[in-house]
Amino acid sequence: MKLEELRFGTELLKRGFASMQKGGVIMDVVNAEQALIAEEAGAVAVMALERVPADIRKAGGVARMADPAIILEIMDAVSIPVMAKVRIGHFVEAQILESLGVDMIDESEVLTPADEEFHIDKRAFSVPFVCGARDLGEALRRIHEGAAMVRTKGEAGTGNVVEAVRHMRNIMGEIRALQGKTPQEITSRARDLEAPPDLLLETVKMGRLPVVNFSAGGIATPADAALMMQMGADGVFVGSGIFHSGNPERMARAIVEAVNHFDDPKVIAEVSKGLGQPMKGIDVHTLREDEVLQYRGR
Amino acid sequence: MGVRLGVLALQGDVSEHILGFERALMAIGVGDYAVVPVRRPRDLDGIRGLAIPGGESTTISRLIDKNGLRDPLVHFEGGIFATCAGMVLVADRVDDPRVRTLGLIDMAVQRNAFGRQKESFEADIEVRGLDRPYHAYFIRAPVAREVGSGVEVLAEIGAGIVAVRKGQHMALSFHPELGGDTRLHVMFLEGLGVQKG
């Protein structure tokens, strides 16, 4: 093997990294102590943040990439992959995270967007990206830009799973509706969805998104996590749901087991016993339009 | 009676491994087979070969215990095809106390031996028993540092040992299930005595 023949940051390595996360739970953490709890509970990766989404909502103002010192502290603490968020379109924040060596970048609507026209050109990076999506068109536009993984957006920081359900059904339902259609019909539908036609054809043929698809935004209990898995998610992101609950260690372990046994109600019942208070949560309908994070980036 | 293979389906790239086995069985010319996910001890009944996929070894190790699979796997009589995290799990010793290994192959492994995701790479490597190089994908890959007697080294690169065989078991630090090249799967299945038909 010659050193000059090694290839780094290829599309397959990026998507392959995402594949290794499947069947797993990725947890939001704000310090090394929480990261260790997440790892011990069986998280496949952690998302390093300055604040979890529920606290970002409370704090208001402009939400930006976390302090690199916090991210490095978390990277030092755990052996599982560490991800971190950048603002939509903020490619310099992404360059910074790449230079720190984070394993995956989340170009996230949870932070205040830096560009209302364009997302980051993710093919220019060797680090893989995950991006949020509310429907199939949005998911395929992100994949076209180079996202190696998609997550349904849901409504972060609410502890309310209703939007996560809506977005997963949008994506899976659209793929189901296109089964059996001719290439011409699919191409025509691609125009309505504002999706690249080739990617839509590939998606319909595979019967699923061509990259790993997690669920995010409002998962607060083991039952929520299993619900998203049964709806077709490859895994889940849990943000405020763990460290805003009454007993984070137990909640974290319970959600990991619920994802592993998502189709076994007996196990989900068992792990749901005596978990204490889940995060309080917000009725999404009470949010003002400018408080709804999922409309950011499209 | 057909060939029954399994893929440990606790976490990781399970569907890729199921497809990998199916492609290899087709390449050999086996018509009557089943490849099933294994999540509980009873799923191992009648399985001749089991893949332990890539994923997070800390997570899979925890779920092996939670699902009561440690003893059944330690005493499993078929062959094991372990990739990446799987290689860590079948080893005897690992540099990380958070992972409880199965001790099926006498070797010491180092997790994430190349570093983080940005050090993940693909390259053509030489594998013993294959007539031309194998294109291998290393994703936050482990390596074996030392292997006991009776463990055959199939491939070694500058950083360490990346493929071994012991009896019916094979362990690889890279991901043959992500590419289309079935030669290593075929080598494993032939080691189990799987034949055309």
Side-chain angles (χ1 to χ4, degrees), chain A residues 7-8 10 19-20 22 39 42-44 79 101 103 253 257 260-261 263, chain B residues 10-12 15-16 39 59 62 66 98 111 116-117 120 122 140 175:
Chain A
R7 291 199 292 146
F8 296 90
T10 64
S19 290
M20 301 312 146
K22 287 196 299 181
E39 183 177 53
V44 288
S79 66
D103 296 292
R253 278 200 298 270
E257 279 168 49
N260 183 232
H261 293 280
D263 55 358
Chain B
L10 301 177
Q11 191 273 316
S15 60
E16 288 82 350
R39 289 160 72 191
T59 307
R62 221 189 106 72
K66 272 279 158 197
R98 285 169 285 210
R111 291 181 65 211
R116 311 193 71 94
Q117 171 62 12
S120 293
E122 45 183 278
R140 288 174 49 99
H175 291 281

PDB file of all heavy atoms in Angstrom, chain A residues 7-8 10 19-20 22 39 42-44 79 101 103 253 257 260-261 263, chain B residues 10-12 15-16 39 59 62 66 98 111 116-117 120 122 140 175:
ATOM      1  N   ARG A   7      -6.946   7.632  -0.125  1.00  0.00           N
ATOM      2  CA  ARG A   7      -7.896   8.700  -0.446  1.00  0.00           C
ATOM      3  C   ARG A   7      -8.737   9.007   0.784  1.00  0.00           C
ATOM      4  O   ARG A   7      -9.269   8.104   1.420  1.00  0.00           O
ATOM      5  CB  ARG A   7      -8.769   8.298  -1.635  1.00  0.00           C
ATOM      6  CG  ARG A   7      -7.937   8.252  -2.933  1.00  0.00           C
ATOM      7  CD  ARG A   7      -8.803   8.327  -4.149  1.00  0.00           C
ATOM      8  NE  ARG A   7      -9.596   7.115  -4.280  1.00  0.00           N
ATOM      9  CZ  ARG A   7     -10.820   7.077  -4.765  1.00  0.00           C
ATOM     10  NH1 ARG A   7     -11.420   8.200  -5.139  1.00  0.00           N
ATOM     11  NH2 ARG A   7     -11.463   5.946  -4.870  1.00  0.00           N
ATOM     12  N   PHE A   8      -8.828  10.293   1.097  1.00  0.00           N
ATOM     13  CA  PHE A   8      -9.567  10.725   2.291  1.00  0.00           C
ATOM     14  C   PHE A   8     -10.829  11.484   1.875  1.00  0.00           C
ATOM     15  O   PHE A   8     -10.885  12.074   0.789  1.00  0.00           O
ATOM     16  CB  PHE A   8      -8.686  11.669   3.136  1.00  0.00           C
ATOM     17  CG  PHE A   8      -7.454  11.009   3.696  1.00  0.00           C
ATOM     18  CD1 PHE A   8      -6.260  11.002   2.982  1.00  0.00           C
ATOM     19  CD2 PHE A   8      -7.495  10.390   4.933  1.00  0.00           C
ATOM     20  CE1 PHE A   8      -5.124  10.388   3.489  1.00  0.00           C
ATOM     21  CE2 PHE A   8      -6.369   9.777   5.457  1.00  0.00           C
ATOM     22  CZ  PHE A   8      -5.185   9.771   4.733  1.00  0.00           C
ATOM     23  N   THR A  10     -13.809  10.848   0.838  1.00  0.00           N
ATOM     24  CA  THR A  10     -14.611  10.514  -0.339  1.00  0.00           C
ATOM     25  C   THR A  10     -16.086  10.392   0.060  1.00  0.00           C
ATOM     26  O   THR A  10     -16.423  10.251   1.233  1.00  0.00           O
ATOM     27  CB  THR A  10     -14.175   9.170  -0.943  1.00  0.00           C
ATOM     28  OG1 THR A  10     -14.424   8.133   0.016  1.00  0.00           O
ATOM     29  CG2 THR A  10     -12.696   9.172  -1.305  1.00  0.00           C
ATOM     30  N   SER A  19     -23.559   5.394   7.976  1.00  0.00           N
ATOM     31  CA  SER A  19     -24.129   4.039   8.090  1.00  0.00           C
ATOM     32  C   SER A  19     -23.773   3.387   9.425  1.00  0.00           C
ATOM     33  O   SER A  19     -24.547   2.593   9.954  1.00  0.00           O
ATOM     34  CB  SER A  19     -23.616   3.133   6.973  1.00  0.00           C
ATOM     35  OG  SER A  19     -24.157   3.536   5.751  1.00  0.00           O
ATOM     36  N   MET A  20     -22.591   3.699   9.933  1.00  0.00           N
ATOM     37  CA  MET A  20     -22.160   3.092  11.201  1.00  0.00           C
ATOM     38  C   MET A  20     -22.976   3.615  12.387  1.00  0.00           C
ATOM     39  O   MET A  20     -22.930   3.060  13.466  1.00  0.00           O
ATOM     40  CB  MET A  20     -20.668   3.342  11.455  1.00  0.00           C
ATOM     41  CG  MET A  20     -19.766   2.798  10.379  1.00  0.00           C
ATOM     42  SD  MET A  20     -20.137   1.101   9.934  1.00  0.00           S
ATOM     43  CE  MET A  20     -19.742   1.117   8.194  1.00  0.00           C
ATOM     44  N   LYS A  22     -26.254   3.816  12.310  1.00  0.00           N
ATOM     45  CA  LYS A  22     -27.622   3.286  12.216  1.00  0.00           C
ATOM     46  C   LYS A  22     -28.013   2.463  13.442  1.00  0.00           C
ATOM     47  O   LYS A  22     -27.197   1.760  14.013  1.00  0.00           O
ATOM     48  CB  LYS A  22     -27.772   2.419  10.958  1.00  0.00           C
ATOM     49  CG  LYS A  22     -27.810   3.259   9.692  1.00  0.00           C
ATOM     50  CD  LYS A  22     -28.345   2.492   8.500  1.00  0.00           C
ATOM     51  CE  LYS A  22     -27.523   1.293   8.152  1.00  0.00           C
ATOM     52  NZ  LYS A  22     -28.070   0.582   6.979  1.00  0.00           N
ATOM     53  N   GLU A  39     -22.156   8.471  26.668  1.00  0.00           N
ATOM     54  CA  GLU A  39     -21.363   7.346  26.183  1.00  0.00           C
ATOM     55  C   GLU A  39     -21.631   6.092  27.018  1.00  0.00           C
ATOM     56  O   GLU A  39     -21.828   4.997  26.487  1.00  0.00           O
ATOM     57  CB  GLU A  39     -19.875   7.702  26.241  1.00  0.00           C
ATOM     58  CG  GLU A  39     -18.971   6.611  25.680  1.00  0.00           C
ATOM     59  CD  GLU A  39     -17.508   7.019  25.687  1.00  0.00           C
ATOM     60  OE1 GLU A  39     -17.022   7.426  26.754  1.00  0.00           O
ATOM     61  OE2 GLU A  39     -16.861   6.927  24.633  1.00  0.00           O
ATOM     62  N   GLY A  42     -24.725   4.282  26.180  1.00  0.00           N
ATOM     63  CA  GLY A  42     -24.773   3.564  24.910  1.00  0.00           C
ATOM     64  C   GLY A  42     -25.062   4.444  23.697  1.00  0.00           C
ATOM     65  O   GLY A  42     -25.440   3.935  22.643  1.00  0.00           O
ATOM     66  N   ALA A  43     -24.886   5.762  23.825  1.00  0.00           N
ATOM     67  CA  ALA A  43     -25.034   6.647  22.660  1.00  0.00           C
ATOM     68  C   ALA A  43     -24.015   6.251  21.598  1.00  0.00           C
ATOM     69  O   ALA A  43     -22.895   5.846  21.942  1.00  0.00           O
ATOM     70  CB  ALA A  43     -24.815   8.104  23.070  1.00  0.00           C
ATOM     71  N   VAL A  44     -24.375   6.352  20.303  1.00  0.00           N
ATOM     72  CA  VAL A  44     -23.396   6.058  19.252  1.00  0.00           C
ATOM     73  C   VAL A  44     -22.525   7.263  18.954  1.00  0.00           C
ATOM     74  O   VAL A  44     -21.456   7.136  18.363  1.00  0.00           O
ATOM     75  CB  VAL A  44     -24.049   5.582  17.935  1.00  0.00           C
ATOM     76  CG1 VAL A  44     -24.588   4.172  18.094  1.00  0.00           C
ATOM     77  CG2 VAL A  44     -25.113   6.535  17.441  1.00  0.00           C
ATOM     78  N   SER A  79     -14.759   8.431  23.553  1.00  0.00           N
ATOM     79  CA  SER A  79     -14.144   7.742  22.413  1.00  0.00           C
ATOM     80  C   SER A  79     -15.133   7.580  21.264  1.00  0.00           C
ATOM     81  O   SER A  79     -14.758   7.185  20.164  1.00  0.00           O
ATOM     82  CB  SER A  79     -13.638   6.373  22.856  1.00  0.00           C
ATOM     83  OG  SER A  79     -14.727   5.546  23.222  1.00  0.00           O
ATOM     84  N   GLY A 101     -11.397  18.831  13.930  1.00  0.00           N
ATOM     85  CA  GLY A 101     -11.437  17.374  13.796  1.00  0.00           C
ATOM     86  C   GLY A 101     -12.735  16.742  14.270  1.00  0.00           C
ATOM     87  O   GLY A 101     -12.754  15.552  14.581  1.00  0.00           O
ATOM     88  N   ASP A 103     -16.189  14.795  13.980  1.00  0.00           N
ATOM     89  CA  ASP A 103     -16.430  13.664  13.075  1.00  0.00           C
ATOM     90  C   ASP A 103     -17.550  13.923  12.083  1.00  0.00           C
ATOM     91  O   ASP A 103     -17.584  13.317  11.008  1.00  0.00           O
ATOM     92  CB  ASP A 103     -16.740  12.412  13.912  1.00  0.00           C
ATOM     93  CG  ASP A 103     -15.550  12.018  14.766  1.00  0.00           C
ATOM     94  OD1 ASP A 103     -14.540  11.593  14.179  1.00  0.00           O
ATOM     95  OD2 ASP A 103     -15.599  12.180  15.990  1.00  0.00           O
ATOM     96  N   ARG A 253     -30.338   5.696  28.947  1.00  0.00           N
ATOM     97  CA  ARG A 253     -30.268   4.239  28.752  1.00  0.00           C
ATOM     98  C   ARG A 253     -31.581   3.705  28.203  1.00  0.00           C
ATOM     99  O   ARG A 253     -31.602   2.843  27.322  1.00  0.00           O
ATOM    100  CB  ARG A 253     -29.947   3.545  30.080  1.00  0.00           C
ATOM    101  CG  ARG A 253     -28.469   3.536  30.423  1.00  0.00           C
ATOM    102  CD  ARG A 253     -28.144   2.450  31.432  1.00  0.00           C
ATOM    103  NE  ARG A 253     -28.842   2.646  32.693  1.00  0.00           N
ATOM    104  CZ  ARG A 253     -28.345   3.348  33.716  1.00  0.00           C
ATOM    105  NH1 ARG A 253     -27.153   3.889  33.620  1.00  0.00           N
ATOM    106  NH2 ARG A 253     -29.040   3.503  34.821  1.00  0.00           N
ATOM    107  N   GLU A 257     -32.264   1.611  24.674  1.00  0.00           N
ATOM    108  CA  GLU A 257     -32.888   0.283  24.592  1.00  0.00           C
ATOM    109  C   GLU A 257     -34.174   0.305  23.778  1.00  0.00           C
ATOM    110  O   GLU A 257     -34.481  -0.650  23.060  1.00  0.00           O
ATOM    111  CB  GLU A 257     -33.136  -0.269  26.000  1.00  0.00           C
ATOM    112  CG  GLU A 257     -31.858  -0.877  26.551  1.00  0.00           C
ATOM    113  CD  GLU A 257     -31.960  -1.172  28.031  1.00  0.00           C
ATOM    114  OE1 GLU A 257     -32.947  -1.794  28.432  1.00  0.00           O
ATOM    115  OE2 GLU A 257     -31.048  -0.755  28.769  1.00  0.00           O
ATOM    116  N   ASN A 260     -33.219   0.095  20.206  1.00  0.00           N
ATOM    117  CA  ASN A 260     -32.769  -1.254  19.883  1.00  0.00           C
ATOM    118  C   ASN A 260     -33.947  -2.225  19.753  1.00  0.00           C
ATOM    119  O   ASN A 260     -33.950  -3.102  18.892  1.00  0.00           O
ATOM    120  CB  ASN A 260     -31.794  -1.718  20.973  1.00  0.00           C
ATOM    121  CG  ASN A 260     -31.213  -3.088  20.710  1.00  0.00           C
ATOM    122  OD1 ASN A 260     -31.243  -3.960  21.546  1.00  0.00           O
ATOM    123  ND2 ASN A 260     -30.707  -3.308  19.500  1.00  0.00           N
ATOM    124  N   HIS A 261     -34.966  -2.056  20.595  1.00  0.00           N
ATOM    125  CA  HIS A 261     -36.132  -2.963  20.613  1.00  0.00           C
ATOM    126  C   HIS A 261     -37.387  -2.228  20.148  1.00  0.00           C
ATOM    127  O   HIS A 261     -38.450  -2.412  20.720  1.00  0.00           O
ATOM    128  CB  HIS A 261     -36.363  -3.494  22.027  1.00  0.00           C
ATOM    129  CG  HIS A 261     -35.268  -4.390  22.510  1.00  0.00           C
ATOM    130  ND1 HIS A 261     -35.178  -5.710  22.155  1.00  0.00           N
ATOM    131  CD2 HIS A 261     -34.204  -4.142  23.298  1.00  0.00           C
ATOM    132  CE1 HIS A 261     -34.107  -6.240  22.724  1.00  0.00           C
ATOM    133  NE2 HIS A 261     -33.498  -5.313  23.413  1.00  0.00           N
ATOM    134  N   ASP A 263     -39.540  -2.501  18.010  1.00  0.00           N
ATOM    135  CA  ASP A 263     -40.758  -3.220  17.634  1.00  0.00           C
ATOM    136  C   ASP A 263     -41.198  -4.200  18.716  1.00  0.00           C
ATOM    137  O   ASP A 263     -41.987  -5.110  18.453  1.00  0.00           O
ATOM    138  CB  ASP A 263     -40.554  -3.941  16.292  1.00  0.00           C
ATOM    139  CG  ASP A 263     -39.339  -4.857  16.321  1.00  0.00           C
ATOM    140  OD1 ASP A 263     -38.639  -4.906  17.361  1.00  0.00           O
ATOM    141  OD2 ASP A 263     -39.083  -5.527  15.299  1.00  0.00           O
TER     142      ASP A 263
ATOM    143  N   LEU B  10     -27.765  -5.320  16.393  1.00  0.00           N
ATOM    144  CA  LEU B  10     -27.974  -4.501  17.586  1.00  0.00           C
ATOM    145  C   LEU B  10     -27.782  -3.032  17.259  1.00  0.00           C
ATOM    146  O   LEU B  10     -28.478  -2.168  17.748  1.00  0.00           O
ATOM    147  CB  LEU B  10     -27.009  -4.928  18.693  1.00  0.00           C
ATOM    148  CG  LEU B  10     -27.142  -6.394  19.126  1.00  0.00           C
ATOM    149  CD1 LEU B  10     -26.105  -6.736  20.176  1.00  0.00           C
ATOM    150  CD2 LEU B  10     -28.548  -6.657  19.653  1.00  0.00           C
ATOM    151  N   GLN B  11     -26.817  -2.745  16.402  1.00  0.00           N
ATOM    152  CA  GLN B  11     -26.531  -1.364  15.992  1.00  0.00           C
ATOM    153  C   GLN B  11     -25.468  -1.438  14.902  1.00  0.00           C
ATOM    154  O   GLN B  11     -24.642  -2.339  14.923  1.00  0.00           O
ATOM    155  CB  GLN B  11     -26.012  -0.544  17.193  1.00  0.00           C
ATOM    156  CG  GLN B  11     -25.922   0.969  16.967  1.00  0.00           C
ATOM    157  CD  GLN B  11     -24.594   1.375  16.348  1.00  0.00           C
ATOM    158  OE1 GLN B  11     -23.539   0.896  16.747  1.00  0.00           O
ATOM    159  NE2 GLN B  11     -24.629   2.244  15.344  1.00  0.00           N
ATOM    160  N   GLY B  12     -25.513  -0.494  13.956  1.00  0.00           N
ATOM    161  CA  GLY B  12     -24.483  -0.441  12.929  1.00  0.00           C
ATOM    162  C   GLY B  12     -25.028  -0.718  11.540  1.00  0.00           C
ATOM    163  O   GLY B  12     -26.239  -0.664  11.317  1.00  0.00           O
ATOM    164  N   SER B  15     -27.973  -3.682   7.394  1.00  0.00           N
ATOM    165  CA  SER B  15     -28.542  -3.995   6.073  1.00  0.00           C
ATOM    166  C   SER B  15     -27.450  -4.165   5.021  1.00  0.00           C
ATOM    167  O   SER B  15     -27.552  -4.990   4.120  1.00  0.00           O
ATOM    168  CB  SER B  15     -29.568  -2.934   5.647  1.00  0.00           C
ATOM    169  OG  SER B  15     -28.955  -1.673   5.568  1.00  0.00           O
ATOM    170  N   GLU B  16     -26.359  -3.407   5.151  1.00  0.00           N
ATOM    171  CA  GLU B  16     -25.235  -3.543   4.212  1.00  0.00           C
ATOM    172  C   GLU B  16     -24.614  -4.944   4.329  1.00  0.00           C
ATOM    173  O   GLU B  16     -24.202  -5.538   3.326  1.00  0.00           O
ATOM    174  CB  GLU B  16     -24.167  -2.482   4.495  1.00  0.00           C
ATOM    175  CG  GLU B  16     -24.547  -1.054   4.091  1.00  0.00           C
ATOM    176  CD  GLU B  16     -25.420  -0.325   5.108  1.00  0.00           C
ATOM    177  OE1 GLU B  16     -25.921  -0.959   6.065  1.00  0.00           O
ATOM    178  OE2 GLU B  16     -25.616   0.896   4.935  1.00  0.00           O
ATOM    179  N   ARG B  39     -30.918 -10.705  16.956  1.00  0.00           N
ATOM    180  CA  ARG B  39     -31.035  -9.758  18.063  1.00  0.00           C
ATOM    181  C   ARG B  39     -31.197 -10.459  19.409  1.00  0.00           C
ATOM    182  O   ARG B  39     -30.973  -9.851  20.442  1.00  0.00           O
ATOM    183  CB  ARG B  39     -32.213  -8.809  17.823  1.00  0.00           C
ATOM    184  CG  ARG B  39     -31.919  -7.837  16.691  1.00  0.00           C
ATOM    185  CD  ARG B  39     -33.174  -7.242  16.117  1.00  0.00           C
ATOM    186  NE  ARG B  39     -33.779  -6.291  17.020  1.00  0.00           N
ATOM    187  CZ  ARG B  39     -34.998  -5.788  16.835  1.00  0.00           C
ATOM    188  NH1 ARG B  39     -35.720  -6.156  15.800  1.00  0.00           N
ATOM    189  NH2 ARG B  39     -35.488  -4.925  17.682  1.00  0.00           N
ATOM    190  N   THR B  59     -21.349   0.806  22.174  1.00  0.00           N
ATOM    191  CA  THR B  59     -22.800   0.615  22.142  1.00  0.00           C
ATOM    192  C   THR B  59     -23.147  -0.861  21.946  1.00  0.00           C
ATOM    193  O   THR B  59     -23.976  -1.422  22.658  1.00  0.00           O
ATOM    194  CB  THR B  59     -23.412   1.431  20.982  1.00  0.00           C
ATOM    195  OG1 THR B  59     -22.971   2.780  21.092  1.00  0.00           O
ATOM    196  CG2 THR B  59     -24.930   1.379  21.012  1.00  0.00           C
ATOM    197  N   ARG B  62     -22.479  -3.015  25.001  1.00  0.00           N
ATOM    198  CA  ARG B  62     -23.520  -2.852  26.019  1.00  0.00           C
ATOM    199  C   ARG B  62     -24.776  -3.641  25.666  1.00  0.00           C
ATOM    200  O   ARG B  62     -25.382  -4.301  26.514  1.00  0.00           O
ATOM    201  CB  ARG B  62     -23.879  -1.360  26.099  1.00  0.00           C
ATOM    202  CG  ARG B  62     -24.085  -0.839  27.481  1.00  0.00           C
ATOM    203  CD  ARG B  62     -24.649   0.570  27.444  1.00  0.00           C
ATOM    204  NE  ARG B  62     -26.059   0.538  27.803  1.00  0.00           N
ATOM    205  CZ  ARG B  62     -26.514   0.322  29.024  1.00  0.00           C
ATOM    206  NH1 ARG B  62     -25.671   0.132  30.007  1.00  0.00           N
ATOM    207  NH2 ARG B  62     -27.805   0.291  29.274  1.00  0.00           N
ATOM    208  N   LYS B  66     -27.117  -6.563  27.447  1.00  0.00           N
ATOM    209  CA  LYS B  66     -28.538  -6.285  27.689  1.00  0.00           C
ATOM    210  C   LYS B  66     -29.429  -7.358  27.072  1.00  0.00           C
ATOM    211  O   LYS B  66     -30.475  -7.696  27.601  1.00  0.00           O
ATOM    212  CB  LYS B  66     -28.910  -4.921  27.079  1.00  0.00           C
ATOM    213  CG  LYS B  66     -28.685  -3.786  28.029  1.00  0.00           C
ATOM    214  CD  LYS B  66     -29.863  -3.671  29.000  1.00  0.00           C
ATOM    215  CE  LYS B  66     -29.424  -2.926  30.242  1.00  0.00           C
ATOM    216  NZ  LYS B  66     -30.350  -3.125  31.363  1.00  0.00           N
ATOM    217  N   ARG B  98     -14.089   0.417  28.377  1.00  0.00           N
ATOM    218  CA  ARG B  98     -15.531   0.579  28.170  1.00  0.00           C
ATOM    219  C   ARG B  98     -16.112  -0.504  27.274  1.00  0.00           C
ATOM    220  O   ARG B  98     -17.310  -0.668  27.181  1.00  0.00           O
ATOM    221  CB  ARG B  98     -15.827   1.957  27.562  1.00  0.00           C
ATOM    222  CG  ARG B  98     -15.703   3.060  28.604  1.00  0.00           C
ATOM    223  CD  ARG B  98     -15.725   4.415  27.963  1.00  0.00           C
ATOM    224  NE  ARG B  98     -14.468   4.692  27.304  1.00  0.00           N
ATOM    225  CZ  ARG B  98     -13.954   5.911  27.159  1.00  0.00           C
ATOM    226  NH1 ARG B  98     -14.603   6.954  27.593  1.00  0.00           N
ATOM    227  NH2 ARG B  98     -12.804   6.096  26.560  1.00  0.00           N
ATOM    228  N   ARG B 111      -8.630   0.622  19.374  1.00  0.00           N
ATOM    229  CA  ARG B 111      -9.774   1.291  18.744  1.00  0.00           C
ATOM    230  C   ARG B 111      -9.309   2.578  18.067  1.00  0.00           C
ATOM    231  O   ARG B 111      -8.330   3.195  18.485  1.00  0.00           O
ATOM    232  CB  ARG B 111     -10.829   1.664  19.794  1.00  0.00           C
ATOM    233  CG  ARG B 111     -11.542   0.494  20.405  1.00  0.00           C
ATOM    234  CD  ARG B 111     -12.579   0.969  21.414  1.00  0.00           C
ATOM    235  NE  ARG B 111     -13.643   1.718  20.775  1.00  0.00           N
ATOM    236  CZ  ARG B 111     -14.328   2.710  21.359  1.00  0.00           C
ATOM    237  NH1 ARG B 111     -14.037   3.085  22.574  1.00  0.00           N
ATOM    238  NH2 ARG B 111     -15.280   3.324  20.700  1.00  0.00           N
ATOM    239  N   ARG B 116      -9.587  10.166  14.102  1.00  0.00           N
ATOM    240  CA  ARG B 116     -11.001  10.498  13.959  1.00  0.00           C
ATOM    241  C   ARG B 116     -11.454  10.320  12.509  1.00  0.00           C
ATOM    242  O   ARG B 116     -10.685   9.895  11.651  1.00  0.00           O
ATOM    243  CB  ARG B 116     -11.247  11.934  14.433  1.00  0.00           C
ATOM    244  CG  ARG B 116     -10.639  12.226  15.802  1.00  0.00           C
ATOM    245  CD  ARG B 116     -11.152  13.522  16.371  1.00  0.00           C
ATOM    246  NE  ARG B 116     -12.538  13.368  16.754  1.00  0.00           N
ATOM    247  CZ  ARG B 116     -12.937  13.034  17.993  1.00  0.00           C
ATOM    248  NH1 ARG B 116     -12.063  12.853  18.951  1.00  0.00           N
ATOM    249  NH2 ARG B 116     -14.217  12.890  18.244  1.00  0.00           N
ATOM    250  N   GLN B 117     -12.715  10.727  12.234  1.00  0.00           N
ATOM    251  CA  GLN B 117     -13.271  10.534  10.896  1.00  0.00           C
ATOM    252  C   GLN B 117     -12.401  11.163   9.801  1.00  0.00           C
ATOM    253  O   GLN B 117     -12.292  10.635   8.711  1.00  0.00           O
ATOM    254  CB  GLN B 117     -14.702  11.085  10.847  1.00  0.00           C
ATOM    255  CG  GLN B 117     -15.339  11.153   9.452  1.00  0.00           C
ATOM    256  CD  GLN B 117     -15.494   9.796   8.785  1.00  0.00           C
ATOM    257  OE1 GLN B 117     -15.348   8.746   9.412  1.00  0.00           O
ATOM    258  NE2 GLN B 117     -15.767   9.823   7.495  1.00  0.00           N
ATOM    259  N   SER B 120     -10.151   8.845   8.270  1.00  0.00           N
ATOM    260  CA  SER B 120     -10.703   7.684   7.564  1.00  0.00           C
ATOM    261  C   SER B 120     -10.231   7.722   6.114  1.00  0.00           C
ATOM    262  O   SER B 120     -10.092   8.796   5.536  1.00  0.00           O
ATOM    263  CB  SER B 120     -12.241   7.734   7.615  1.00  0.00           C
ATOM    264  OG  SER B 120     -12.687   7.545   8.944  1.00  0.00           O
ATOM    265  N   GLU B 122      -9.630   5.345   2.096  1.00  0.00           N
ATOM    266  CA  GLU B 122      -9.757   4.133   1.295  1.00  0.00           C
ATOM    267  C   GLU B 122      -8.453   3.886   0.554  1.00  0.00           C
ATOM    268  O   GLU B 122      -7.747   4.834   0.206  1.00  0.00           O
ATOM    269  CB  GLU B 122     -10.954   4.193   0.347  1.00  0.00           C
ATOM    270  CG  GLU B 122     -11.154   5.470  -0.432  1.00  0.00           C
ATOM    271  CD  GLU B 122     -12.423   5.411  -1.278  1.00  0.00           C
ATOM    272  OE1 GLU B 122     -12.364   4.829  -2.373  1.00  0.00           O
ATOM    273  OE2 GLU B 122     -13.455   5.959  -0.866  1.00  0.00           O
ATOM    274  N   ARG B 140     -12.770   5.244  10.851  1.00  0.00           N
ATOM    275  CA  ARG B 140     -12.426   5.248  12.295  1.00  0.00           C
ATOM    276  C   ARG B 140     -12.036   3.833  12.715  1.00  0.00           C
ATOM    277  O   ARG B 140     -12.540   3.284  13.701  1.00  0.00           O
ATOM    278  CB  ARG B 140     -13.620   5.755  13.120  1.00  0.00           C
ATOM    279  CG  ARG B 140     -13.879   7.263  12.974  1.00  0.00           C
ATOM    280  CD  ARG B 140     -15.160   7.686  13.684  1.00  0.00           C
ATOM    281  NE  ARG B 140     -15.236   7.193  15.039  1.00  0.00           N
ATOM    282  CZ  ARG B 140     -14.933   7.899  16.133  1.00  0.00           C
ATOM    283  NH1 ARG B 140     -14.538   9.153  16.027  1.00  0.00           N
ATOM    284  NH2 ARG B 140     -15.039   7.366  17.326  1.00  0.00           N
ATOM    285  N   HIS B 175     -14.199  -2.289   5.813  1.00  0.00           N
ATOM    286  CA  HIS B 175     -15.621  -2.563   5.553  1.00  0.00           C
ATOM    287  C   HIS B 175     -15.879  -3.199   4.183  1.00  0.00           C
ATOM    288  O   HIS B 175     -16.284  -2.496   3.252  1.00  0.00           O
ATOM    289  CB  HIS B 175     -16.418  -1.252   5.636  1.00  0.00           C
ATOM    290  CG  HIS B 175     -16.495  -0.701   7.013  1.00  0.00           C
ATOM    291  ND1 HIS B 175     -17.365  -1.184   7.956  1.00  0.00           N
ATOM    292  CD2 HIS B 175     -15.795   0.278   7.622  1.00  0.00           C
ATOM    293  CE1 HIS B 175     -17.222  -0.514   9.084  1.00  0.00           C
ATOM    294  NE2 HIS B 175     -16.266   0.374   8.912  1.00  0.00           N
TER     295      HIS B 175
END
